[in-house]
Amino acid sequence: QSSFLRWTFALLLGGTAVGIAAPKNPHLPSPMWQLLSSIVGYTYFLAWSASFYPQIFMNYYRKTTRGLSCDFCVLNVLGYVCYTAYTTNFYWNERIIAEYKQRMSGIDVDGGTKQSEITVQGNDVAFAIHALFMASFTLSQIGM
């Protein structure tokens, strides 16, 4: 139990520290929401990222992947390939960003023009790339 609490505290502390230091999403309505979004985003990044390591270390120390579903690993990699393609394109590809904004713009409730903003943030991209790498590494352990 105390190990669980230590890890939880470490992840919350790490997510808070990175969230404070990292760039904020300027499209959120206030600095407080920008900070909260950044802290929650990087906390989830650290928590989900940490979830990959126990299986990798267990496979390594046991020198077997017995009990690990190959289908799960293949589908996990496929899912993260798609997620990484989505997040990286919506974060870095100016053409896709412009096309999205053009298609999703419309009339606001007040009668003005509504500009749709991309909600993908740096922590989403970092997680997608990290998850793809870790899921691929886990899959590669099956073949070893």
Side-chain angles (χ1 to χ4, degrees), residues 98-108 113-116:
E99 191 171 317
Y100 173 85
K101 287 181 177 184
Q102 179 186 4
R103 286 186 182 188
M104 297 302 157
S105 293
I107 304 301
D108 200 353
T113 303
K114 176 182 76 172
Q115 180 70 35
S116 295

Side-chain angles (χ1 to χ4, degrees), residues 1 20 38 54 62 104 127 137 139 141:
Q1 180 182 352
I20 290 170
S38 185
R62 292 185 330 159
M104 297 302 157
F127 172 74
F137 187 79
L139 179 61
Q141 288 182 313

Side-chain angles (χ1 to χ4, degrees), residues 53-68:
Y53 290 91
Q55 183 68 55
I56 290 170
F57 288 126
M58 189 169 71
N59 295 343
Y60 176 77
Y61 289 122
R62 292 185 330 159
K63 304 290 187 229
T64 183
T65 56
R66 188 173 185 170
L68 179 61

Side-chain angles (χ1 to χ4, degrees), residues 91-142:
Y91 194 73
W92 282 310
N93 190 323
E94 293 299 327
R95 183 171 157 232
I96 288 177
I97 292 168
E99 191 171 317
Y100 173 85
K101 287 181 177 184
Q102 179 186 4
R103 286 186 182 188
M104 297 302 157
S105 293
I107 304 301
D108 200 353
V109 177
D110 301 328
T113 303
K114 176 182 76 172
Q115 180 70 35
S116 295
E117 294 299 333
I118 303 294
T119 58
V120 174
Q121 297 182 56
N123 58 305
D124 299 316
V125 176
F127 172 74
I129 293 168
H130 181 258
L132 176 58
F133 177 76
M134 299 311 288
S136 299
F137 187 79
T138 303
L139 179 61
S140 76
Q141 288 182 313
I142 292 175

Side-chain angles (χ1 to χ4, degrees), residues 5-61:
L5 292 175
R6 277 195 306 254
W7 275 104
T8 302
F9 180 73
L11 291 171
L12 287 171
L13 186 63
T16 300
V18 175
I20 290 170
K24 313 296 180 279
N25 183 349
H27 303 296
L28 293 175
S30 72
M32 185 55 121
W33 281 113
Q34 294 170 4
L35 178 63
L36 183 63
S37 174
S38 185
I39 289 171
V40 170
Y42 280 100
T43 300
Y44 102 78
F45 165 75
L46 292 175
W48 276 106
S49 294
S51 74
F52 289 102
Y53 290 91
Q55 183 68 55
I56 290 170
F57 288 126
M58 189 169 71
N59 295 343
Y60 176 77
Y61 289 122

